[in-house]
Every structure is written in C-alpha cells, then in structure tokens.
Amino acid sequence: MHAEPQPTAWPLPSPGADDTPFLRLWHGFLTGRVMVALALLLLMAAGLVLNQSTAPWMLALCLGYLAATTMVRVMSRHQAPRPQAGLHWLPTIGVDLAVVAVLQLLYSGGINFTPLFGLPILMAAVLGTLTLALGTTAAATLLLLGWAAWMGTTTAGGDAAPRYLQAALTGTGYFIVAFLTHQLATRLVREQHLAQTNRMAAQVQGQVSGLVIKNLNDGVLVVDESFTVRMANPAALALLGCAAHLQPPFSLMENRYWHPLMLLARRCFRQGQSQVADVNLLAEGQSPVGLHAQTWLTSAGQEYATTEEERLCVVFLHDLREMQARLRTEKLAAMGRMSAAVAHEIRNPLAAIVQATALLEEDLKDPAQRRLTQMVQQNADRLARIAEEILDIARVKHQISHASPSTIALDDSVAQVWHDWRSQDPAHRRGQFHLGAQGTHVEFDPEHLRRVLVNLLDNALRYMGSEEDSLQLSTRVTASGRASVQVWSDGAPLDQSIERHLFEPFFSSESRSSGLGLYICRELCERHGATIDYQRTGRATQRGDMQGNAFTVSFRKTGRLKEPTSLFDTVVV
C-alpha cells in the first residue's frame, strides 16, 4: 500500500523559479538563523571578555554554528528543500535543535536558551508538512524533558515535579503554536494561489477584451466624470478625427469638435442612465461627421471601477453613413430577391412587346411615330438587360467539375474586347491602350472576360474626364508571374461609404443603376480563381501624374489545379 501524501503549506518550487513565496520565506528563515548565530557568538564573546562563566569551547560552538548557518545560507541561495520530512532538514532544523540543547544543557550561567527552540519549530510549521512540524515539536519537547531530568540528577535535593511540569507546558505550547502556524500558512498559501489564479484570469480576460475592443469596427470610448477619455479604440479615434500621435488620456473639452459627445456624457452622468442620440461633429473646413452614440454608465463600487466612488461612461460610436448604407443594402437585397421572381415573369411579355414594336415599326412611315417606336424599343431593351442581370444574380451557384476552364491569350483577348468596345462609338469611347503581358495565357472564359471588361470600361467612361488619356486599359505581369488587367480613369475619388460597398449586390450611387454590374464582375472573377479590387492610384498622363480610380483583375497562374468557385450561368432565353 502507498502512503497518502502529507499536506504541505507550500508547493514545491519549480526549477529556475527564484522568486516563489516558498523560496523567499526559506531565505528569510536562513537569514534569521545567521542573525541568531551571530547574536549567540557576540553574547559568548562578551561573557568571556567580562570574565563571566563562559568556557572557550562554548565560544567555539557558537562560532561553528555561525559558520554552519552562513554556509547553508550561501549554498541554498537558489534551491529550497522539499517540504516533506527527511534527512535533508538535518543541516537546518537538526543543527538548530542540537545547538540549543547543548547550550541549555552545558551553559553554567543563568541564561535560558529554550525559547530558541521556537525558530526550528516555526521553520518546520511554515515551510514543511504537518508531520515535519509535529516531529520537530516532539523533538524539542523531548529535549526539554531530558534537560529537566538532567537537572534532577545534577541538583541535590529539591522537587523535580515543577521542572517536568514546566517542560510539559512549554512542549504543549510549542505543539499548539506549530499546529496553528501550519494551518495559518496553509490557508495563506491557498488564498495566494486563488489570488494568482484570479489575477491570471483577469489578465487573460483583459487581454481578450482589449483585442476585441481594438478590432471592433464600432468606436468605443471610456470617459470619466471630468470628461477625460481613459481608453479609445482605433475606430473611435478615427471617427473623432484624432491625429495619429494623439492617444488616451485626453479631454473631450480641449476640442470644440467633440463638444456634442461631452454634452452627451454629461447628461449620462447627471441622469444616471443610458443615453442614445445622433450627433454631428462639425470641424472647420470639413464636412460634418454624423455619429450614432449610445452611452452606458458603470455603477460605483463595481469591480471594473477604479475606486468605490468613481463612475465611468462607456460610449459606443457608430458611423451613421455606414449604418444607413448597411440598412439600404439589406433592403435592396430583399427587394432583389423579390425582383428576381418578377424579372422571370416579365421576360416573356417583354419579348412580345419588343417583337410587336419591331413589327409595328415596319408599317410606320411617319418619322415622329418611328421615333416613338424606337424609344419603346430602347427602353424595352434596357428592361431586358436589367432582367437578365437580376436573373444572373438569382441563379443557383454550383461547381463545375466536368470541364476544365478555358485558357486564353490575355493580350489578344483584351485587345479584341477593347477594339469591339471602341468600335460601337469611336467618337466618345476614347482612351489609351497598353499591352504588357505578351505570350501570357490565363484561365478565363473569353465571354466572361468580355463581360467584365465591358462593364468596367462603361463605368470608367461614365466618370472620366474629357482628355484622350483620361481612360487607360493596360495589362501587365508581376515579378512573381501573376498577370493582371487594369481599367483606370481620372474620375473623382469615391466616397468612403461607397467604396466599402462597391461589390455588393443592388448597391449603387445612381438611382438609374441596378447596382449589379460590379457584383457580377466579382462573381465571374471568383468563378475562374481571379480577384478584382479597387484602389485610388496615380498614372502618368500628358498633363503629368494624375490620381484616378483603378479596377484591377488579377488572374491566377496557369497550370494550377482548379479551385472550387462559384459560377453564374449565361442566361439563355
């Protein structure tokens, strides 16, 4: 059978842990032993100098005890003994008991050394197991009883009972002190372990909360009652228009631009409840920034307040433009699902209208009436295109596993699309054309590439300037071997709220647009493993370097395995 492990007040110190509580207490007791040994040496030296009854061998004993305690203190600087009882405690507890016993037994003066038994007993009770503590106390009690018996044999006459009674009472007191000290040390260690665990959990929770708040898209401000911002995440600093070097703490009162937030926080503190409001931050020379702000007030005395009386106001900031754009996108997406069903139903009547208009136009001779039929034809064609786009989005996405993608020569295909696009209206469709991917082949369907480029060119034509080089179409190959095609125009920069939703379905800055073109471009690119992105970049023109809007389609390298992607079928009527 295996003996159950004895309870210990302190855990075993881990290797290399030089700052554990156990090791610090161990060093404290060792230093105390050195001080006791030094005090005994000085006492014996003083007795010898004053011609008291101090034998030279006792001075030598104290000197040896000082040397032993100093050596143990130096050698045990980085390593503490195991708390369990064993021979490894002899250089400390054993030596202390022996030295005190010898001094008490052989010293002929009137000094009582038995109180020094308290040092090894406390050491065993605090640093060791309960067995070690009780064993050390039992040894000290036996030595006290032995000293009482020795005094009975060396002292003629007298009653020995008081000496035995005193030894027994002293031993009993030692037992009580050892037991209570050990229990107190065990409780303190348990509380310390719990405090360390809670501190580590709080640190982890704080790190997680800090990461979450830092990466939130919504702004978060923590404001005290003096309107000082204690904490702010990057999103909040961006919404406040702070300079890059400005970091909390800073006051909302130092900038009039922030006064609406200060007033909202003041109302929250005064009323003691959450506040919700839409505020406009007005800066000189800049357009106003609309924010949806909601405040929450911490309660005094809670664990996250720094003092019992301090209250903090947590302000959540949301960009109103983003909220409105998100809401508009959700509404348009819901309308798009309904529109898909409607578009499917109107195709046949629309085809009948187009056919009837064409037949009617053949019999009309009046130019005015023919213009009316042409208007009907043009608008019917426009409705047909919108219906086809809606049906493209609404089609079920599926994987193509039975056919490999087409491989095309990039420059040849782009050149063909460019010339076909320009030939439809050479007077207005002007621009520059640069080919830089000679001999490069990419995996892309030719018709899908045509559709992507025509859509991008039409968009660029709508916003470009009047110069010949206001629109540029180019191809290139990067150093890593990845080919791309880019449509650039010198149009005005996009608003940030529009840029974030460029490729979302049914999102458009124009009322006459379906908002499906760029979304279809992205889906077609992803179907072939390509990517499409927007950036504001500069280009060299005859007028110098000009900033413009660039849409870049980057193709995957040829020869790679086909990636699972989504596809919109070509609509067949």
Side-chain angles (χ1 to χ4, degrees):
M1 296 179 64
H2 298 282
E4 295 184 358
Q6 294 291 328
T8 175
W10 300 93
L12 288 174
S14 58
D18 296 339
D19 198 33
T20 63
F22 182 88
L23 196 59
R24 291 197 297 270
L25 279 175
W26 167 247
H27 289 164
F29 275 109
L30 293 183
T31 303
R33 294 177 69 242
V34 174
M35 299 304 295
V36 169
L38 183 60
L40 289 175
L41 180 62
L42 294 176
L43 178 64
M44 296 303 170
L48 188 62
V49 170
L50 296 176
N51 295 322
Q52 295 182 356
S53 54
T54 302
W57 65 266
M58 298 195 70
L59 183 64
L61 176 64
C62 293
L63 183 61
Y65 181 54
L66 177 62
T69 55
T70 303
M71 182 177 63
V72 172
R73 178 65 179 85
V74 173
M75 295 181 61
S76 301
R77 183 170 50 186
H78 299 296
Q79 185 177 4
R82 298 186 306 274
Q84 289 75 17
L87 297 178
H88 54 278
W89 288 102
L90 288 178
T92 52
I93 295 177
V95 169
D96 291 347
L97 292 175
V99 169
V100 173
V102 170
L103 289 175
Q104 182 63 31
L105 186 64
L106 301 180
Y107 187 69
S108 57
I111 299 178
N112 186 2
F113 293 96
T114 56
L116 294 179
F117 282 132
L119 179 61
I121 291 175
L122 288 177
M123 181 183 295
V126 173
L127 301 179
T129 62
L130 184 60
T131 300
L132 178 64
L134 297 180
T136 303
T137 307
T141 303
L142 291 176
L143 290 174
L144 288 173
L145 293 173
W147 175 73
W150 171 262
M151 291 297 294
T153 59
T154 58
T155 304
D159 189 5
R163 288 192 296 271
Y164 284 106
L165 181 59
Q166 182 180 1
L169 289 176
T170 304
T172 302
Y174 282 155
F175 273 107
I176 295 174
V177 170
F179 179 78
L180 294 179
T181 302
H182 181 80
Q183 294 299 317
L184 179 60
T186 303
R187 180 180 293 273
L188 290 177
V189 170
R190 188 162 52 245
E191 294 295 331
Q192 184 186 39
H193 288 171
L194 181 60
Q196 290 178 347
T197 302
N198 292 338
R199 184 173 67 251
M200 293 178 62
Q203 290 176 350
V204 172
Q205 184 64 36
Q207 293 174 357
V208 172
S209 300
L211 288 174
V212 171
I213 293 176
K214 182 179 180 180
N215 292 279
L216 277 178
N217 293 328
D218 299 328
V220 179
L221 294 176
V222 179
V223 185
D224 61 17
E225 295 191 74
S226 63
F227 309 114
T228 299
V229 176
R230 298 283 191 86
M231 187 189 75
N233 66 345
L237 295 176
L239 292 174
L240 293 180
C242 296
H245 64 277
L246 184 59
Q247 295 294 330
F250 58 87
S251 177
L252 291 177
M253 302 177 65
E254 67 185 39
N255 192 334
R256 296 186 59 184
Y257 181 59
W258 303 328
H259 278 195
L261 293 177
M262 183 200 69
L263 296 176
L264 185 64
R266 175 185 294 172
R267 186 162 66 248
C268 180
F269 282 121
R270 288 181 177 178
Q271 298 182 7
Q273 59 183 5
S274 175
Q275 303 291 323
V276 180
D278 292 338
V279 298
N280 290 320
L281 304 185
L282 301 175
E284 296 182 1
Q286 298 181 7
S287 58
V289 177
L291 298 178
H292 178 76
Q294 185 172 9
T295 65
W296 296 90
L297 192 63
T298 63
S299 299
Q302 288 189 357
E303 58 184 358
Y304 40 77
T306 55
T307 66
E308 289 187 358
E309 298 181 355
E310 184 179 22
R311 296 184 302 171
L312 299 175
C313 178
V314 182
V315 185
F316 295 91
L317 303 176
H318 309 272
D319 193 335
L320 281 177
R321 293 174 300 178
E322 288 191 5
M323 294 178 62
Q324 294 169 356
R326 190 181 305 117
L327 181 60
R328 183 169 60 249
T329 301
E330 293 174 355
K331 290 181 178 179
L332 290 174
M335 294 176 59
R337 290 190 292 270
M338 180 188 68
S339 301
V342 175
H344 181 75
E345 296 298 328
I346 69 173
R347 281 196 307 167
N348 292 334
L350 191 59
I353 293 174
V354 172
Q355 185 176 7
T357 304
L359 293 175
L360 179 61
E361 187 177 5
E362 294 177 357
D363 297 333
L364 294 176
K365 304 301 181 182
D366 186 2
Q369 292 179 347
R370 293 180 66 88
R371 282 196 299 270
L372 290 176
T373 58
Q374 290 175 0
M375 291 176 59
V376 173
Q377 182 71 38
Q378 291 173 357
N379 284 277
D381 291 341
R382 179 168 172 259
L383 287 175
R385 287 195 302 270
I386 294 176
E388 296 300 332
E389 289 181 349
I390 293 175
L391 289 173
D392 272 351
I393 299 299
R395 287 188 180 275
V396 178
K397 299 180 181 181
H398 63 279
Q399 304 297 328
I400 295 181
S401 58
H402 60 276
S404 59
S406 303
T407 301
I408 60 175
L410 180 59
D411 280 358
D412 295 342
S413 300
V414 173
Q416 185 64 41
V417 173
W418 171 256
H419 293 306
D420 292 345
W421 180 76
R422 283 209 61 204
S423 63
Q424 297 180 17
D425 191 358
H428 295 90
R429 297 187 175 186
R430 298 175 301 167
Q432 292 185 349
F433 181 51
H434 306 283
L435 295 177
Q438 290 80 4
T440 301
H441 289 70
V442 296
E443 295 178 355
F444 217 95
D445 182 82
E447 185 58 33
H448 289 171
L449 180 61
R450 174 183 296 274
R451 187 168 186 179
V452 170
L453 292 181
V454 168
N455 199 330
L456 296 178
L457 289 171
D458 287 342
N459 285 342
L461 181 65
R462 190 177 300 117
Y463 301 107
M464 63 177 283
S466 59
E467 302 297 330
E468 183 71 26
D469 53 3
S470 293
L471 186 150
Q472 298 182 19
L473 175 64
S474 61
T475 61
R476 64 185 294 264
V477 179
T478 63
S480 61
R482 190 170 187 182
S484 63
V485 57
Q486 185 180 87
V487 177
W488 179 91
S489 66
D490 60 355
L494 298 180
D495 188 85
Q496 190 175 8
S497 61
I498 297 177
E499 181 181 344
R500 294 178 181 177
H501 306 283
L502 269 178
F503 299 98
E504 294 181 3
F506 303 104
F507 178 83
S508 176
S509 59
E510 296 186 359
S511 59
R512 294 177 58 87
S513 175
S514 63
L516 300 176
L518 290 178
Y519 176 68
I520 293 176
C521 290
R522 188 193 69 179
E523 293 297 325
L524 291 175
C525 289
E526 290 182 353
R527 175 243 169 151
H528 298 283
T531 60
I532 182 172
D533 57 62
Y534 162 82
Q535 59 181 343
R536 183 75 178 173
T537 185
R539 275 295 187 91
T541 66
Q542 297 177 357
R543 296 156 290 165
D545 291 338
M546 298 289 296
Q547 291 293 317
N549 302 314
F551 287 87
T552 306
V553 177
S554 301
F555 304 91
R556 66 179 178 184
K557 296 180 181 179
T558 57
R560 293 176 55 185
L561 295 177
K562 184 183 176 184
E563 302 172 358
T565 50
S566 61
L567 160 73
F568 288 106
D569 286 336
T570 303
V571 177
V572 179
V573 181

